[in-house]
PDB file of all heavy atoms in Angstrom:
ATOM      1  N   PHE T 979     114.076  64.593  82.008  1.00  0.00           N
ATOM      2  CA  PHE T 979     113.219  63.397  81.865  1.00  0.00           C
ATOM      3  C   PHE T 979     114.104  62.298  81.317  1.00  0.00           C
ATOM      4  O   PHE T 979     114.686  62.438  80.227  1.00  0.00           O
ATOM      5  CB  PHE T 979     112.099  63.704  80.892  1.00  0.00           C
ATOM      6  CG  PHE T 979     111.121  64.723  81.453  1.00  0.00           C
ATOM      7  CD1 PHE T 979     111.231  66.090  81.135  1.00  0.00           C
ATOM      8  CD2 PHE T 979     110.055  64.342  82.323  1.00  0.00           C
ATOM      9  CE1 PHE T 979     110.346  67.019  81.682  1.00  0.00           C
ATOM     10  CE2 PHE T 979     109.179  65.238  82.802  1.00  0.00           C
ATOM     11  CZ  PHE T 979     109.305  66.607  82.501  1.00  0.00           C
ATOM     12  N   ILE T 980     114.190  61.198  82.107  1.00  0.00           N
ATOM     13  CA  ILE T 980     115.019  60.087  81.673  1.00  0.00           C
ATOM     14  C   ILE T 980     114.249  58.765  81.862  1.00  0.00           C
ATOM     15  O   ILE T 980     113.251  58.767  82.570  1.00  0.00           O
ATOM     16  CB  ILE T 980     116.380  60.034  82.453  1.00  0.00           C
ATOM     17  CG1 ILE T 980     116.160  59.878  83.963  1.00  0.00           C
ATOM     18  CG2 ILE T 980     117.235  61.267  82.115  1.00  0.00           C
ATOM     19  CD1 ILE T 980     117.452  59.662  84.752  1.00  0.00           C
ATOM     20  N   SER T 981     114.777  57.729  81.318  1.00  0.00           N
ATOM     21  CA  SER T 981     114.084  56.435  81.461  1.00  0.00           C
ATOM     22  C   SER T 981     114.362  55.832  82.809  1.00  0.00           C
ATOM     23  O   SER T 981     115.315  56.243  83.539  1.00  0.00           O
ATOM     24  CB  SER T 981     114.633  55.479  80.388  1.00  0.00           C
ATOM     25  OG  SER T 981     115.968  55.105  80.698  1.00  0.00           O
ATOM     26  N   LYS T 982     113.583  54.890  83.174  1.00  0.00           N
ATOM     27  CA  LYS T 982     113.744  54.184  84.465  1.00  0.00           C
ATOM     28  C   LYS T 982     115.086  53.528  84.511  1.00  0.00           C
ATOM     29  O   LYS T 982     115.803  53.576  85.526  1.00  0.00           O
ATOM     30  CB  LYS T 982     112.626  53.165  84.672  1.00  0.00           C
ATOM     31  CG  LYS T 982     112.675  52.486  85.995  1.00  0.00           C
ATOM     32  CD  LYS T 982     111.506  51.523  86.169  1.00  0.00           C
ATOM     33  CE  LYS T 982     111.621  50.811  87.495  1.00  0.00           C
ATOM     34  NZ  LYS T 982     110.472  49.854  87.652  1.00  0.00           N
ATOM     35  N   ASP T 983     115.504  52.914  83.405  1.00  0.00           N
ATOM     36  CA  ASP T 983     116.847  52.240  83.394  1.00  0.00           C
ATOM     37  C   ASP T 983     117.963  53.260  83.597  1.00  0.00           C
ATOM     38  O   ASP T 983     118.905  52.981  84.362  1.00  0.00           O
ATOM     39  CB  ASP T 983     117.035  51.528  82.053  1.00  0.00           C
ATOM     40  CG  ASP T 983     116.201  50.273  81.927  1.00  0.00           C
ATOM     41  OD1 ASP T 983     115.703  49.762  82.998  1.00  0.00           O
ATOM     42  OD2 ASP T 983     115.973  49.788  80.787  1.00  0.00           O
ATOM     43  N   GLU T 984     117.925  54.413  82.956  1.00  0.00           N
ATOM     44  CA  GLU T 984     118.916  55.450  83.112  1.00  0.00           C
ATOM     45  C   GLU T 984     118.949  55.920  84.581  1.00  0.00           C
ATOM     46  O   GLU T 984     120.010  56.105  85.151  1.00  0.00           O
ATOM     47  CB  GLU T 984     118.644  56.642  82.213  1.00  0.00           C
ATOM     48  CG  GLU T 984     118.858  56.418  80.726  1.00  0.00           C
ATOM     49  CD  GLU T 984     118.386  57.559  79.896  1.00  0.00           C
ATOM     50  OE1 GLU T 984     117.184  57.854  79.902  1.00  0.00           O
ATOM     51  OE2 GLU T 984     119.252  58.221  79.254  1.00  0.00           O
ATOM     52  N   PHE T 985     117.768  56.101  85.150  1.00  0.00           N
ATOM     53  CA  PHE T 985     117.685  56.596  86.505  1.00  0.00           C
ATOM     54  C   PHE T 985     118.333  55.597  87.477  1.00  0.00           C
ATOM     55  O   PHE T 985     119.130  55.935  88.330  1.00  0.00           O
ATOM     56  CB  PHE T 985     116.226  56.828  86.929  1.00  0.00           C
ATOM     57  CG  PHE T 985     116.040  57.524  88.224  1.00  0.00           C
ATOM     58  CD1 PHE T 985     115.870  58.879  88.280  1.00  0.00           C
ATOM     59  CD2 PHE T 985     116.091  56.816  89.444  1.00  0.00           C
ATOM     60  CE1 PHE T 985     115.705  59.571  89.491  1.00  0.00           C
ATOM     61  CE2 PHE T 985     115.941  57.460  90.652  1.00  0.00           C
ATOM     62  CZ  PHE T 985     115.739  58.843  90.671  1.00  0.00           C
ATOM     63  N   LEU T 986     117.934  54.337  87.304  1.00  0.00           N
ATOM     64  CA  LEU T 986     118.450  53.295  88.236  1.00  0.00           C
ATOM     65  C   LEU T 986     119.961  53.113  88.102  1.00  0.00           C
ATOM     66  O   LEU T 986     120.637  52.826  89.072  1.00  0.00           O
ATOM     67  CB  LEU T 986     117.719  51.937  88.000  1.00  0.00           C
ATOM     68  CG  LEU T 986     116.212  51.995  88.386  1.00  0.00           C
ATOM     69  CD1 LEU T 986     115.539  50.709  87.982  1.00  0.00           C
ATOM     70  CD2 LEU T 986     116.037  52.306  89.861  1.00  0.00           C
ATOM     71  N   LYS T 987     120.499  53.329  86.891  1.00  0.00           N
ATOM     72  CA  LYS T 987     121.963  53.252  86.696  1.00  0.00           C
ATOM     73  C   LYS T 987     122.620  54.430  87.472  1.00  0.00           C
ATOM     74  O   LYS T 987     123.641  54.160  88.149  1.00  0.00           O
ATOM     75  CB  LYS T 987     122.275  53.360  85.227  1.00  0.00           C
ATOM     76  CG  LYS T 987     123.782  53.241  84.900  1.00  0.00           C
ATOM     77  CD  LYS T 987     124.042  53.173  83.411  1.00  0.00           C
ATOM     78  CE  LYS T 987     125.487  52.846  83.108  1.00  0.00           C
ATOM     79  NZ  LYS T 987     126.312  53.994  82.898  1.00  0.00           N
ATOM     80  N   LEU T 988     122.112  55.610  87.390  1.00  0.00           N
ATOM     81  CA  LEU T 988     122.666  56.757  88.119  1.00  0.00           C
ATOM     82  C   LEU T 988     122.564  56.500  89.658  1.00  0.00           C
ATOM     83  O   LEU T 988     123.529  56.801  90.375  1.00  0.00           O
ATOM     84  CB  LEU T 988     121.953  58.057  87.780  1.00  0.00           C
ATOM     85  CG  LEU T 988     122.228  58.625  86.396  1.00  0.00           C
ATOM     86  CD1 LEU T 988     121.226  59.770  86.091  1.00  0.00           C
ATOM     87  CD2 LEU T 988     123.651  59.126  86.304  1.00  0.00           C
ATOM     88  N   LYS T 989     121.470  55.910  90.074  1.00  0.00           N
ATOM     89  CA  LYS T 989     121.270  55.633  91.502  1.00  0.00           C
ATOM     90  C   LYS T 989     122.324  54.556  91.928  1.00  0.00           C
ATOM     91  O   LYS T 989     122.940  54.717  93.001  1.00  0.00           O
ATOM     92  CB  LYS T 989     119.859  55.132  91.744  1.00  0.00           C
ATOM     93  CG  LYS T 989     119.574  54.881  93.190  1.00  0.00           C
ATOM     94  CD  LYS T 989     118.135  54.526  93.426  1.00  0.00           C
ATOM     95  CE  LYS T 989     117.876  54.299  94.908  1.00  0.00           C
ATOM     96  NZ  LYS T 989     116.519  54.017  95.183  1.00  0.00           N
ATOM     97  N   GLU T 990     122.498  53.543  91.128  1.00  0.00           N
ATOM     98  CA  GLU T 990     123.448  52.482  91.441  1.00  0.00           C
ATOM     99  C   GLU T 990     124.878  53.066  91.526  1.00  0.00           C
ATOM    100  O   GLU T 990     125.707  52.621  92.349  1.00  0.00           O
ATOM    101  CB  GLU T 990     123.406  51.414  90.357  1.00  0.00           C
ATOM    102  CG  GLU T 990     124.321  50.217  90.640  1.00  0.00           C
ATOM    103  CD  GLU T 990     124.182  49.208  89.497  1.00  0.00           C
ATOM    104  OE1 GLU T 990     123.026  48.729  89.296  1.00  0.00           O
ATOM    105  OE2 GLU T 990     125.190  48.878  88.880  1.00  0.00           O
ATOM    106  N   GLU T 991     125.187  54.075  90.728  1.00  0.00           N
ATOM    107  CA  GLU T 991     126.482  54.728  90.750  1.00  0.00           C
ATOM    108  C   GLU T 991     126.616  55.790  91.840  1.00  0.00           C
ATOM    109  O   GLU T 991     127.641  56.457  91.917  1.00  0.00           O
ATOM    110  CB  GLU T 991     126.758  55.377  89.363  1.00  0.00           C
ATOM    111  CG  GLU T 991     126.869  54.362  88.269  1.00  0.00           C
ATOM    112  CD  GLU T 991     126.926  54.990  86.861  1.00  0.00           C
ATOM    113  OE1 GLU T 991     126.652  56.256  86.747  1.00  0.00           O
ATOM    114  OE2 GLU T 991     127.143  54.282  85.887  1.00  0.00           O
ATOM    115  N   ASP T 992     125.627  55.898  92.717  1.00  0.00           N
ATOM    116  CA  ASP T 992     125.621  56.799  93.831  1.00  0.00           C
ATOM    117  C   ASP T 992     125.804  58.277  93.406  1.00  0.00           C
ATOM    118  O   ASP T 992     126.483  59.049  94.051  1.00  0.00           O
ATOM    119  CB  ASP T 992     126.743  56.426  94.843  1.00  0.00           C
ATOM    120  CG  ASP T 992     126.549  57.090  96.181  1.00  0.00           C
ATOM    121  OD1 ASP T 992     125.379  57.330  96.633  1.00  0.00           O
ATOM    122  OD2 ASP T 992     127.544  57.427  96.868  1.00  0.00           O
TER     123      ASP T 992
END
Side-chain angles (χ1 to χ4, degrees):
F979 294 95
I980 61 175
S981 71
K982 184 177 177 182
D983 288 340
E984 290 172 295
F985 190 97
L986 294 174
K987 183 174 189 265
L988 289 169
K989 185 174 180 178
E990 184 180 302
E991 294 171 351
D992 196 32

